Amino acid sequence: MAEFAIAPAPVPTVPIEGEAQAFPVRRILCVGQNYAAHRAEMGGDDRAPPFFFSKPSDAVVPPGRDPAYPSRTQNLHHEIELVVAIGKPGADVAPDAALDLIFGYAVGVDLTRRDLQAAAKGAGKPWDAAKGFDDSAPISAIRRWSKAPPAGRIRLSVNGETRQDATLDDMIWNVAEIVSEASKLWALAPGDLIFTGTPEGVGPLSRGDRVEGEVEGVGRLAFTVA
């Protein structure tokens, strides 16, 4: 085996609830506009299917660390999401077999440079700088899960004021469909995380804001924008 010319980067990890072991993050996939009301507030077509984009694995911000306010933006937005953690490999998986790939679930916030996203959309350019920047994926501990997917409330508050409040049943594509569709575009592998979309109510964050999010039955997430 060849030696590395430089020291390899450490593998990003997320804690597993109640366990000493951690979940190594391989890749982060995200579903866009998967709640009808959020799609409407973003000016999307209600008939179009959700789509995927990605973040680098080292965008994760595990519990206990606060994300930094990013550079080159004046309009940082919060988007709370149910996160699927993949524990088994699978490619071109049917929806009725997709849940077998799931290790567990977590609460995540897809932080977005909304002004850069709008500019990229208008110019027909990629969203990478708007979505895949450093500290753009705060996440809770992962809860192991072996039953039907969560179906409770998903909500987020900023400085005690509720901004987003919906139920997971409002998703256009359910968890099994999302995992199945992702497996047709990529060969999924243990360590992959899939952010499943956000409900309506996304909005701006400022330095010092306290963000608290919850997915009923899955967990809570809290951080201060540093």
Side-chain angles (χ1 to χ4, degrees), residues 25 34 42 44 54 62 83 97 134-135 180 183 186 198 202 222 226:
V25 180
N34 194 32
M42 298 303 294
S54 64
V83 181
D134 297 341
D135 287 2
S180 172
S183 77
W186 300 272
T198 194
V202 301

Side-chain angles (χ1 to χ4, degrees), residues 33-124:
Q33 299 183 6
N34 194 32
Y35 289 74
H38 172 59
R39 180 177 295 180
E41 76 178 348
M42 298 303 294
D45 185 340
D46 194 46
R47 294 169 296 176
F51 54 89
F52 289 89
F53 58 91
S54 64
K55 294 176 182 275
S57 60
D58 62 1
V60 294
V61 182
R65 185 164 72 80
D66 293 327
Y69 193 98
S71 61
R72 300 294 295 272
T73 185
Q74 301 299 318
N75 195 16
L76 179 69
H77 275 209
H78 57 77
E79 299 186 8
I80 188 159
E81 312 201 7
L82 173 70
V83 181
V84 176
I86 299 297
K88 295 179 182 178
D92 202 18
V93 177
D96 60 3
L99 298 182
D100 294 338
L101 275 58
I102 296 175
F103 176 90
Y105 295 92
V107 185
V109 174
D110 168 17
L111 293 176
T112 302
R113 289 164 162 156
R114 190 69 75 202
D115 45 0
L116 299 191
Q117 184 188 35
K121 280 183 177 181

Side-chain angles (χ1 to χ4, degrees), residues 117-214:
Q117 184 188 35
K121 280 183 177 181
K125 294 180 179 179
W127 292 6
D128 297 58
K131 289 287 192 177
F133 53 90
D134 297 341
D135 287 2
S136 61
I139 191 171
S140 72
I142 295 169
R143 176 170 290 185
R144 283 185 184 263
W145 203 276
S146 59
K147 49 187 183 291
R153 291 177 71 186
I154 178 170
R155 48 194 169 189
L156 178 142
S157 66
V158 178
N159 301 325
E161 176 189 353
T162 298
R163 295 271 190 90
Q164 296 181 264
D165 192 349
T167 68
L168 296 173
D169 287 339
D170 293 335
M171 288 196 295
I172 298 169
W173 282 12
N174 63 34
V175 168
E177 292 168 332
I178 290 169
V179 173
S180 172
E181 187 64 19
S183 77
K184 297 172 183 175
L185 296 168
W186 300 272
L188 298 181
D192 289 345
L193 297 176
I194 304 177
F195 281 58
T196 60
T198 194
E200 72 277 15
V202 301
L205 292 171
S206 301
R207 293 169 179 83
D209 279 349
R210 183 65 175 173
V211 178
E212 296 179 303
E214 178 185 14

